[in-house]
Amino acid sequence: MYADVCDINNIKIDDDFWSAKRELIRKEVIPYQWDILNDRVPEAEPSFCMHNFKAAAALNKKMKDKGSSYEPPKYTFRGFAVFPDKREEAKDDEFYGYVFQDSDFAKWIEAVGYSLSTDPDPDLEKTADEAIDIVCAAQLPNGYLDTYYIINGMDKSFSDLRDNHELYCMGHLIEGAISYYKATGKDKLLNAAKRYADFVSGVFGPEEDKLHGYPGHEIAEMALFRLYEVTGEERYRELAEYFINERGKKPYYFEKEHPDMDGSKDFYHQAHLPVREQSEAVGHAVRAVYLYSGMADMARICDDKELKSACERLWNSIVDTKLYITGAIGATHIGESFSFPYDLPNDTVYAETCASIGLIFFARRMLMLHADRRYSDIMELALYNSVLSGIALDGKSFFYVNPLEVLPEACRKDERKEHVKPVRQKWFGCACCPPNIARLISSIGLYAYTENEHTLFTHLYMGSTVNKNVGGKEVKVTVKASFPNSGTVYITVENASDTDFTLALRIPGWAEDSYKISGLEGLVHEEKDGYLYIKGFSDNTAIEMDFPMTSHAVFADEKVAEDCMKAAIMRGPVVYCLEENDNGPALRMNRLKLPLEISESHTDEFGFDVVTLNVKSVRESLTGSSSSGSSALYKNLDSIKAEEKTLTFIPYCLWANRGEGEMSVYVRV
Amino acid sequence: MYADVCDINNIKIDDDFWSAKRELIRKEVIPYQWDILNDRVPEAEPSFCMHNFKAAAALNKKMKDKGSSYEPPKYTFRGFAVFPDKREEAKDDEFYGYVFQDSDFAKWIEAVGYSLSTDPDPDLEKTADEAIDIVCAAQLPNGYLDTYYIINGMDKSFSDLRDNHELYCMGHLIEGAISYYKATGKDKLLNAAKRYADFVSGVFGPEEDKLHGYPGHEIAEMALFRLYEVTGEERYRELAEYFINERGKKPYYFEKEHPDMDGSKDFYHQAHLPVREQSEAVGHAVRAVYLYSGMADMARICDDKELKSACERLWNSIVDTKLYITGAIGATHIGESFSFPYDLPNDTVYAETCASIGLIFFARRMLMLHADRRYSDIMELALYNSVLSGIALDGKSFFYVNPLEVLPEACRKDERKEHVKPVRQKWFGCACCPPNIARLISSIGLYAYTENEHTLFTHLYMGSTVNKNVGGKEVKVTVKASFPNSGTVYITVENASDTDFTLALRIPGWAEDSYKISGLEGLVHEEKDGYLYIKGFSDNTAIEMDFPMTSHAVFADEKVAEDCMKAAIMRGPVVYCLEENDNGPALRMNRLKLPLEISESHTDEFGFDVVTLNVKSVRESLTGSSSSGSSALYKNLDSIKAEEKTLTFIPYCLWANRGEGEMSVYVRV
């Protein structure tokens, strides 16, 4: 069996908070998503994903049956997305949906794999095997596997890398295939993915007769590096490197592909500069962090210092100038993109769930390059806030956009905010975020831990057991934790005597001055970059840590115009927010009183134990006389009226689970 | 000579403030605009306006010369605007520019007429006469006069009322022709305009074989009513009434014209409901107030009570829910439109100069229906603030968009704000605002005064003389005033004994509780709806009024989320603003202290005496410790740091006359 860096099979999650989320994915999201892939959810936009694989498989069979007498379809431009007027009118042999629709299957099988790796489910595995049979039947004899071109005409395949997502679909296919292989040991899909990657590696490369392009929507890079690490086969690493090295070279590939392209738009695809020269995170936020993840893989695998520096600069650009307090990124819906530094509007924000997930991918890879709390703090922030905000508590509706301030009326009536929804939506036709949440949560162990030869890094605290082979001995680490409600963590290390085993425990930035640890007697330990490195274990060591979950107000840099003289409330890694449901309308009229007086309460209103915060504040309004009678809008100012009020804050990720209403993360100070 | 309601020839302006503005229009704007119309300004986008008239005239001549053997051009779709790559490559016989380019001439000749009516200028008049010769030579024998269709093919004329602006150009032509006729007595252009209107009235009407449409961009309505009032010819009134009555009836005309039109978009043209059923000001703001102006004309001329009610409702909708403190309207650049009630963002606002000018047109017509300070207060507000903001002090650059808050970096880097410019721009290809300012300022007397049989209404106070015939006697009213610097007004009424002459003096809303008046001894007077009606004059009466120009803070209704706990500073009708130039960057950090302490200063920095305001305030910032080191953006909040500071406010309309920088009307309280 192929090996992987930090094998998910060695990590078992058993945690009140995260096990419930994983169960939600397993019991709600994965089955629902399968129905979606097969167009069996009447109220959701049809996917046509499995339809397309079946259509391609039928065509494939026809070609095989007819052999050389068969005339394959000539390419017909079908637009970025084509849907029939009614789903029952869909023709069996046509492609429908978005050009990247194949990736819906790939994301589903990836989540299925992660889920099966910890929760065996023969029915689900049978369904998955049948799906894999359909997908593999669609693969052309030469290995090509993208139904959009198989159905619409292979003569134009790889002719529109900028927009048509073929390499994106390949990337997802590889990730999905690896996940399923790791969980089940079945390699049918993995072999199909490898054959597709082999085909692609025959198409792209430095040779003169090959294409010198790279993906319009990145992901293939990190997928190919993972395929290399799982299989050990160098050609996948080489292809990934080629894509990364080629990107942004002049003359720009996408402009050659699209002679009418506005040359100033290459930044949208992070193709405006060679990647080693990039310093500012720009363009489509999801694409950006997917690219940076691949770059970080390459920096590690190839020990590429220059690329590592670029990754660090890009990380800093995001985290120090373009990051929302919730871990969200992507300030503008125009191009679903990063805006300029410090431009972080709360109400018109894009803050796509997938972008925060991608930031977590990037963070994990930076941690593998260099374990530094700087990365894991942000990973934790994005996870507990912007990512979890993306899915409803019942697992049945989703946010693409995770705003920090919502006035429902404005979302409905203001075209500039129509991308911001005041309540989560059912599955969309362009379904990137829901399956991305599914694959992240079902593989959460891979983010809680990374490892190198002797060291197990603990980035996130959750109830879990990890087995790690150190010099032939199976060390077992068990963590008991109740994040995010409590910051107390119990860790036992077993069977580690006479090994070089090192446990690197993250000291969260939010607890660096207040945390306590006991049980280190007799152990060697030192702190570096926010990690406590412990070694010299016996066969049974118990450590107890406490990261006090204290509540406090956080404010943004003065350069962030939108947050001027406002603050957000945090408790540990959890960002809190105000909802109209608890605090009445016109949340903007509230002002926090300094020094802050915060008390905690518990509620089971959300179906589990949630810590809410009560904060002393004043509700203000301006008072005055009518100035002229000529406009009811304006009055002469007299004074400020202020009433004492206790505000109730709930964790941000829980907003919009109790119906529609105003929401705000920031409150005036 | 035809008569007009309140004849501009009877009003002479002699006022420090307004005479200078009028002089700027006469000496700078009108000559510059003439160069623009003739494509003689290398650095400005070419207009092709006179080019098109010449091309149409040449074609016209060819038709006449060849008679029935001539084959006129078949219509070719040319798009909404066509420009040659280089202006010297323009072909003599093609149409260039926007579909409404003819109106550039019409607006120019309108300003020329107003200017000549008070400032004779033989050279300018000669230029105008020559221009009129060219324009009239373009008119088809049947009266049709729109160069876009004459050149591109008449077979499609009036086939796209929604987008192609033929009736809009006719409206402007009528307004321009009347202005020039009133000033010079020359009726060549007026006759051409009448012939065009006659042609149009043969095309549109209730008869079955006529078109049952109405203008996509309104203005023809008010222009035709004016043509009716100037000529007394009923058919122009009837055509205007037809356009107003037909609008918004089902099935929608624009949807019949454009079968692919999204039916929810009729509101953009105010064509979603019959006008008498409309209550909310919606859609493109300029179009809206132009329509409402025509509706108010009709309500007055036809004594249409239902229409008057609709006008009042629409006025209230604007003024009570959609008006910026500067008199600006149009909260969103999407469709240059009104947004929903109370949605008044300061930084992404559209606030087109033309929309405020249109609001002034609407106000004047409401005043003619019913003199009420409610209308004139807003007229004054729009004039001294949002309209004057539209033109630089040197008359050479212009704002289309008049924001209330500007961060120059955001205007450059944020696509959502690219319509907001931090400095005024040179003439644009789509040149609506600059000539609209020119025609408004050069006819300012028509807004200062309206009249009915016995009464002269004084809406705006400016140095001026008005002659009014009352029962055969020429009453002379002279006003001396120094608005907006001082609120003292001296009025003399001469030659009014033994007449029914009534002088109705507006008591501005901002001075209703503080104004003083003397000289009323022996006169009959009563106040109604904000006007002081005075009669019983002798042959020489002197009245002195004082409207104290006190400064105060004004705040918006709590429903305006954007202005929460903020206030603007006003002095009399003048809105003030902060500029970075006087107050340093990050204006948002300042907070006004209550109770307000304001003192006045004078500056001649702008080339004339300007009152600036010094307001005690504090510059605040949040202080705290770095929370984690993981993002430089966020810190734990400790306390507020506040420094005493005196802010300098300048009149809003003067902003961006000293280079680029931040600006803000609203300041935190």
Side-chain angles (χ1 to χ4, degrees):
Chain A
M1 193 165 181
Y2 293 132
D4 191 10
V5 171
C6 207
D7 200 318
I8 195 168
N9 295 341
N10 297 331
I11 309 168
K12 306 291 173 210
I13 305 296
D14 179 12
D15 181 89
D16 280 355
F17 187 85
W18 286 106
S19 295
K21 298 282 175 211
R22 288 164 53 84
E23 196 74 351
L24 189 70
I25 299 301
R26 198 168 73 83
K27 292 202 169 151
E28 290 292 337
V29 181
I30 288 175
Y32 181 70
Q33 189 178 356
W34 177 242
D35 284 341
I36 290 280
L37 294 185
N38 287 282
D39 311 320
R40 293 193 295 241
V41 183
E43 66 276 18
E45 215 177 320
S47 156
F48 291 107
C49 176
M50 295 312 293
H51 164 101
N52 294 334
F53 281 112
K54 287 175 195 164
L59 200 65
N60 211 351
K61 182 167 185 305
K62 207 185 283 180
M63 284 191 260
K64 277 184 196 141
D65 292 349
K66 297 207 175 179
S68 61
S69 71
Y70 180 80
E71 190 72 34
K74 277 280 167 205
Y75 180 74
T76 327
F77 177 66
R78 308 271 303 162
F80 193 66
V82 175
F83 291 93
D85 289 341
K86 294 177 185 168
R87 69 179 77 182
E88 58 274 17
E89 286 170 7
K91 293 185 196 142
D92 285 348
D93 56 354
E94 284 208 2
F95 180 96
Y96 294 105
Y98 291 86
V99 292
F100 46 76
Q101 215 67 324
D102 286 7
S103 65
D104 277 14
F105 160 76
K107 291 180 206 166
W108 176 77
I109 200 77
E110 187 178 346
V112 168
Y114 298 138
S115 178
L116 292 177
S117 72
T118 48
D119 296 276
D121 181 335
D123 289 344
L124 178 60
E125 191 168 331
K126 184 163 173 285
T127 301
D129 285 338
E130 287 165 4
I132 288 170
D133 288 342
I134 294 169
V135 169
C136 290
Q139 187 165 37
L140 295 186
N142 62 11
Y144 184 87
L145 181 42
D146 187 295
T147 68
Y148 177 81
Y149 283 101
I150 294 175
I151 297 170
N152 290 326
M154 282 296 297
D155 48 318
K156 292 281 187 198
S157 69
F158 301 118
S159 68
D160 188 355
L161 297 184
R162 189 189 69 177
D163 298 336
N164 277 2
H165 287 65
E166 275 161 298
L167 297 172
Y168 170 84
C169 288
M170 179 190 73
H172 270 299
L173 183 70
I174 293 169
E175 299 269 14
I178 293 172
S179 167
Y180 195 72
Y181 163 75
K182 300 285 295 179
T184 63
K186 294 177 182 168
D187 63 3
K188 181 170 183 175
L189 190 64
L190 182 66
N191 286 332
K194 286 174 62 184
R195 285 180 56 224
Y196 187 20
D198 292 339
F199 177 83
V200 168
S201 100
V203 173
F204 293 87
E207 297 83 356
E208 209 170 302
D209 61 339
K210 290 187 174 179
L211 291 178
H212 304 148
Y214 37 83
H217 191 313
E218 301 92 328
I219 191 177
E221 300 83 351
M222 59 174 152
L224 287 164
F225 282 121
R226 185 141 188 249
L227 189 60
Y228 158 69
E229 296 202 291
V230 169
T231 66
E233 295 176 32
E234 296 287 343
R235 63 187 180 283
Y236 303 128
R237 180 184 55 70
E238 285 164 10
L239 182 59
E241 286 182 42
Y242 183 74
F243 285 150
I244 286 178
N245 290 335
E246 198 62 21
R247 192 168 209 91
K249 282 191 186 162
K250 285 190 176 175
Y252 293 134
Y253 189 81
F254 297 143
E255 291 181 29
K256 285 189 281 179
E257 247 187 5
H258 297 266
D260 59 338
M261 183 175 173
D262 174 353
S264 70
K265 299 294 181 196
D266 289 283
F267 78 93
Y268 172 80
H269 305 267
Q270 302 76 44
H272 57 303
L273 274 177
V275 298
R276 286 174 186 75
E277 296 171 28
Q278 296 190 22
S279 294
E280 184 180 349
V282 292
H284 189 268
V286 174
R287 295 177 202 229
V289 284
Y290 280 18
L291 169 66
Y292 308 154
S293 297
M295 286 164 61
D297 280 334
M298 179 166 166
R300 174 177 54 84
I301 290 167
C302 306
D303 194 21
D304 185 329
K305 300 269 185 300
E306 208 185 337
L307 203 50
K308 183 176 180 226
S309 294
C311 288
E312 286 166 351
R313 289 195 307 272
L314 291 164
W315 178 269
N316 293 347
S317 165
I318 295 175
V319 166
D320 292 342
T321 71
K322 303 192 177 192
L323 180 78
Y324 284 92
I325 184 69
T326 55
I329 53 174
T332 172
H333 69 288
I334 299 176
E336 307 176 341
S337 287
F338 287 109
S339 187
F340 60 94
Y342 306 104
D343 183 38
L344 295 166
N346 296 309
D347 55 348
T348 59
V349 53
Y350 202 70
E352 191 179 339
T353 307
C354 288
S356 286
I357 292 172
L359 182 62
I360 289 173
F361 295 164
F362 185 22
R364 176 174 183 262
R365 284 157 177 84
M366 293 307 285
L367 287 167
M368 287 163 75
L369 256 175
H370 171 201
D372 189 321
R373 174 169 73 202
R374 182 161 174 74
Y375 307 117
S376 36
D377 274 355
I378 302 301
M379 184 164 84
E380 183 184 58
L381 187 75
L383 182 65
Y384 279 103
N385 300 293
S386 201
V387 169
L388 287 184
S389 161
I391 180 167
L393 286 174
D394 65 3
K396 290 176 177 161
S397 59
F398 305 88
F399 278 132
Y400 274 45
V401 169
N402 297 280
L404 284 79
E405 180 184 320
V406 162
L407 271 177
E409 184 184 24
C411 299
R412 281 193 304 274
K413 297 182 179 173
D414 183 349
E415 280 189 66
R416 295 161 298 181
K417 291 174 189 155
E418 67 178 357
H419 60 287
V420 180
K421 306 296 177 195
V423 289
R424 291 176 185 80
Q425 310 288 295
K426 293 279 168 197
W427 211 272
F428 309 170
C430 172
C432 53
C433 300
N436 240 346
I437 295 175
R439 68 190 187 115
L440 178 74
I441 292 179
S442 54
S443 62
I444 192 67
L446 293 180
Y447 301 88
Y449 298 99
T450 61
E451 61 180 339
N452 63 25
E453 192 182 355
H454 302 297
T455 308
L456 181 72
F457 296 90
T458 306
H459 307 299
L460 303 172
Y461 292 101
M462 58 185 70
S464 50
T465 312
V466 184
N467 294 309
K468 180 173 169 61
N469 189 305
V470 187
K473 252 185 122 172
E474 189 85 351
V475 178
K476 183 178 178 189
V477 177
T478 306
V479 174
K480 289 190 193 306
S482 310
F483 271 46
N485 276 11
S486 144
T488 308
V489 179
Y490 304 93
I491 299 173
T492 57
V493 178
E494 295 169 76
N495 202 35
S497 66
D498 305 321
T499 68
D500 290 333
F501 178 67
T502 303
L503 183 61
L505 297 171
R506 167 175 164 250
I507 312 301
W510 45 268
E512 64 174 324
D513 298 329
S514 58
Y515 85 97
K516 293 197 184 74
I517 186 163
S518 60
L520 293 184
E521 300 78 8
L523 298 171
V524 180
H525 56 92
E526 71 170 325
E527 197 183 324
K528 193 180 158 229
D529 298 332
Y531 283 78
L532 189 65
Y533 289 80
I534 309 172
K535 51 190 174 180
F537 289 97
S538 67
D539 275 339
N540 203 334
T541 308
I543 296 172
E544 185 180 334
M545 304 182 86
D546 186 46
F547 305 111
M549 294 276 180
T550 50
S551 302
H552 54 282
V554 174
F555 66 101
D557 190 283
E558 201 169 304
K559 297 189 197 80
V560 182
E562 297 279 337
D563 299 334
C564 167
M565 297 304 288
K566 293 180 177 175
I569 302 290
M570 291 187 74
R571 178 178 179 276
V574 178
V575 175
Y576 277 69
C577 73
L578 292 177
E579 278 203 304
E580 183 176 348
N581 191 72
D582 302 305
N583 303 288
L587 296 174
R588 62 188 172 274
M589 307 313 287
N590 297 301
R591 184 168 62 75
L592 299 175
K593 277 171 66 177
L594 293 188
L596 276 188
E597 288 180 59
I598 307 184
S599 66
E600 294 189 356
S601 300
H602 288 256
T603 179
D604 55 9
E605 205 184 344
F606 299 95
F608 59 107
D609 180 33
V610 170
V611 177
T612 61
L613 301 177
N614 314 302
V615 184
K616 288 276 171 61
S617 62
V618 286
R619 189 170 180 93
E620 294 182 322
S621 53
L622 297 177
T623 62
S625 55
S626 178
S627 66
S628 67
S630 295
S631 164
L633 273 170
Y634 301 102
K635 287 182 181 164
N636 287 340
L637 176 63
D638 243 14
S639 61
I640 297 173
K641 189 178 136 200
E643 277 172 33
E644 301 275 322
K645 179 171 176 170
T646 298
L647 293 173
T648 301
F649 287 77
I650 63 163
Y652 167 74
C653 66
L654 298 177
W655 81 279
N657 272 294
R658 298 172 296 173
E660 185 180 296
E662 282 186 40
M663 183 277 289
S664 186
V665 167
Y666 282 94
V667 188
R668 292 183 303 112
V669 176
Chain B
M1 192 166 181
Y2 294 132
D4 191 10
V5 172
C6 208
D7 197 319
I8 196 168
N9 295 340
N10 296 330
I11 308 168
K12 306 290 173 211
I13 305 296
D14 179 13
D15 181 87
D16 280 355
F17 187 84
W18 286 105
S19 294
K21 297 281 176 211
R22 288 163 53 82
E23 195 75 352
L24 189 70
I25 300 300
R26 197 169 72 84
K27 292 203 170 150
E28 290 292 338
V29 182
I30 289 176
Y32 181 69
Q33 189 177 359
W34 178 241
D35 284 341
I36 290 279
L37 294 185
N38 288 281
D39 312 321
R40 293 194 296 240
V41 183
E43 67 276 18
E45 214 177 321
S47 156
F48 291 107
C49 176
M50 295 312 292
H51 164 101
N52 293 335
F53 281 113
K54 286 176 195 163
L59 200 65
N60 211 349
K61 184 166 183 304
K62 208 185 282 180
M63 284 192 258
K64 276 186 198 140
D65 292 349
K66 296 207 175 179
S68 60
S69 72
Y70 180 81
E71 191 72 35
K74 277 281 168 205
Y75 180 75
T76 328
F77 177 67
R78 307 273 300 163
F80 193 66
V82 175
F83 290 93
D85 289 341
K86 296 177 183 170
R87 69 180 77 183
E88 57 274 18
E89 286 171 6
K91 294 186 196 142
D92 285 348
D93 57 353
E94 284 207 5
F95 181 95
Y96 294 104
Y98 292 85
V99 293
F100 48 75
Q101 215 67 323
D102 286 6
S103 65
D104 278 13
F105 160 77
K107 291 180 206 165
W108 176 76
I109 200 77
E110 187 178 345
V112 168
Y114 296 140
S115 178
L116 292 177
S117 73
T118 49
D119 297 277
D121 180 334
D123 288 344
L124 178 60
E125 191 168 332
K126 183 162 171 286
T127 301
D129 285 337
E130 288 166 3
I132 288 169
D133 288 343
I134 293 168
V135 169
C136 290
Q139 187 165 38
L140 296 186
N142 63 9
Y144 184 87
L145 181 44
D146 186 294
T147 67
Y148 177 81
Y149 283 101
I150 294 175
I151 296 170
N152 290 325
M154 282 296 296
D155 48 319
K156 292 281 186 199
S157 69
F158 300 120
S159 69
D160 188 356
L161 297 183
R162 189 189 69 177
D163 297 336
N164 276 2
H165 287 66
E166 277 161 296
L167 297 172
Y168 169 84
C169 289
M170 178 190 74
H172 270 299
L173 182 70
I174 292 169
E175 297 270 13
I178 293 172
S179 167
Y180 196 70
Y181 162 75
K182 299 287 296 179
T184 62
K186 294 176 182 169
D187 62 3
K188 181 171 182 174
L189 190 64
L190 182 66
N191 286 332
K194 285 174 64 184
R195 285 179 56 226
Y196 188 20
D198 292 340
F199 178 83
V200 168
S201 101
V203 173
F204 292 88
E207 298 82 356
E208 209 171 301
D209 60 339
K210 289 186 175 179
L211 292 178
H212 304 148
Y214 37 82
H217 192 314
E218 301 92 328
I219 189 176
E221 300 83 351
M222 60 174 153
L224 286 164
F225 281 122
R226 185 143 188 246
L227 188 60
Y228 158 70
E229 294 202 295
V230 169
T231 65
E233 295 176 31
E234 296 287 342
R235 63 186 179 285
Y236 303 128
R237 179 182 57 69
E238 285 164 12
L239 181 59
E241 285 182 42
Y242 183 75
F243 284 150
I244 286 178
N245 290 334
E246 199 63 21
R247 191 168 209 93
K249 282 190 187 165
K250 286 191 175 172
Y252 293 133
Y253 189 82
F254 297 143
E255 293 181 28
K256 286 188 283 179
E257 248 186 6
H258 298 265
D260 58 338
M261 184 174 172
D262 174 353
S264 71
K265 298 294 181 195
D266 289 282
F267 78 92
Y268 173 80
H269 307 267
Q270 300 77 43
H272 56 304
L273 275 177
V275 297
R276 286 173 187 76
E277 296 171 27
Q278 296 190 19
S279 295
E280 183 179 349
V282 293
H284 188 269
V286 175
R287 296 177 201 229
V289 284
Y290 280 18
L291 169 66
Y292 308 154
S293 297
M295 287 164 61
D297 280 335
M298 181 167 166
R300 174 177 54 83
I301 290 167
C302 305
D303 193 21
D304 185 328
K305 299 270 185 300
E306 210 186 337
L307 203 51
K308 185 178 179 222
S309 294
C311 288
E312 286 166 350
R313 289 195 308 273
L314 291 163
W315 178 269
N316 293 347
S317 165
I318 295 175
V319 166
D320 292 342
T321 71
K322 303 192 177 192
L323 180 78
Y324 284 91
I325 185 70
T326 55
I329 53 174
T332 171
H333 68 288
I334 299 176
E336 307 176 340
S337 288
F338 288 108
S339 186
F340 60 93
Y342 307 104
D343 183 38
L344 295 167
N346 295 310
D347 55 347
T348 58
V349 54
Y350 203 70
E352 190 180 338
T353 308
C354 287
S356 285
I357 291 172
L359 182 62
I360 290 173
F361 295 164
F362 184 22
R364 175 173 184 262
R365 284 158 176 84
M366 292 307 285
L367 288 167
M368 288 164 76
L369 257 174
H370 172 200
D372 189 319
R373 173 169 73 202
R374 182 161 173 74
Y375 306 116
S376 36
D377 274 355
I378 303 301
M379 183 164 85
E380 183 184 58
L381 187 75
L383 182 65
Y384 279 103
N385 301 293
S386 200
V387 169
L388 287 184
S389 160
I391 179 168
L393 285 174
D394 64 3
K396 289 177 178 162
S397 59
F398 304 88
F399 278 132
Y400 274 44
V401 168
N402 297 278
L404 283 81
E405 180 183 320
V406 162
L407 272 176
E409 184 184 22
C411 299
R412 280 194 303 274
K413 296 183 179 172
D414 182 349
E415 279 188 67
R416 296 160 297 182
K417 290 175 190 154
E418 67 178 359
H419 60 288
V420 179
K421 305 295 177 194
V423 288
R424 292 176 185 80
Q425 310 288 296
K426 294 279 168 196
W427 211 270
F428 307 172
C430 171
C432 54
C433 298
N436 240 346
I437 295 175
R439 68 190 187 114
L440 178 75
I441 292 179
S442 55
S443 62
I444 193 67
L446 294 179
Y447 301 87
Y449 298 100
T450 61
E451 63 180 338
N452 62 25
E453 193 183 353
H454 303 296
T455 308
L456 181 73
F457 295 91
T458 306
H459 306 300
L460 303 172
Y461 291 101
M462 58 185 70
S464 51
T465 311
V466 185
N467 293 310
K468 178 173 171 59
N469 187 306
V470 186
K473 256 185 117 171
E474 189 84 351
V475 176
K476 183 178 179 189
V477 177
T478 305
V479 173
K480 290 191 193 306
S482 311
F483 270 47
N485 277 10
S486 144
T488 309
V489 179
Y490 304 93
I491 299 172
T492 57
V493 179
E494 295 168 76
N495 203 34
S497 65
D498 304 322
T499 68
D500 291 331
F501 178 67
T502 302
L503 184 62
L505 297 171
R506 167 174 164 252
I507 312 302
W510 46 266
E512 64 173 325
D513 298 327
S514 59
Y515 84 98
K516 293 198 185 72
I517 185 163
S518 62
L520 294 184
E521 301 79 7
L523 298 170
V524 181
H525 57 91
E526 70 169 328
E527 198 182 324
K528 194 181 157 229
D529 299 332
Y531 283 79
L532 190 65
Y533 289 80
I534 308 171
K535 51 190 176 181
F537 288 98
S538 66
D539 276 339
N540 204 333
T541 306
I543 296 171
E544 186 181 334
M545 304 181 85
D546 186 47
F547 305 112
M549 294 276 181
T550 51
S551 303
H552 53 282
V554 175
F555 66 102
D557 190 283
E558 202 169 302
K559 298 189 198 78
V560 182
E562 296 279 337
D563 300 334
C564 168
M565 297 305 288
K566 293 180 177 176
I569 303 290
M570 292 188 73
R571 179 179 179 276
V574 178
V575 175
Y576 277 68
C577 73
L578 292 177
E579 279 203 306
E580 183 176 347
N581 191 72
D582 304 305
N583 303 289
L587 296 174
R588 61 189 173 274
M589 307 312 288
N590 296 300
R591 184 169 62 77
L592 299 176
K593 278 172 64 178
L594 293 188
L596 275 188
E597 288 181 60
I598 307 184
S599 66
E600 295 190 354
S601 300
H602 287 254
T603 179
D604 55 9
E605 204 183 344
F606 297 95
F608 59 107
D609 181 31
V610 171
V611 178
T612 61
L613 301 176
N614 314 303
V615 183
K616 288 276 170 60
S617 62
V618 287
R619 188 169 180 93
E620 294 182 322
S621 53
L622 297 177
T623 62
S625 56
S626 179
S627 66
S628 66
S630 295
S631 165
L633 273 170
Y634 301 102
K635 287 182 182 167
N636 286 341
L637 177 62
D638 245 13
S639 60
I640 297 174
K641 186 177 139 202
E643 278 171 31
E644 302 274 322
K645 177 168 178 172
T646 299
L647 294 172
T648 301
F649 287 77
I650 63 163
Y652 167 74
C653 67
L654 297 177
W655 82 279
N657 272 293
R658 297 172 296 174
E660 185 180 295
E662 281 187 41
M663 183 277 290
S664 186
V665 167
Y666 281 95
V667 188
R668 291 184 304 113
V669 175

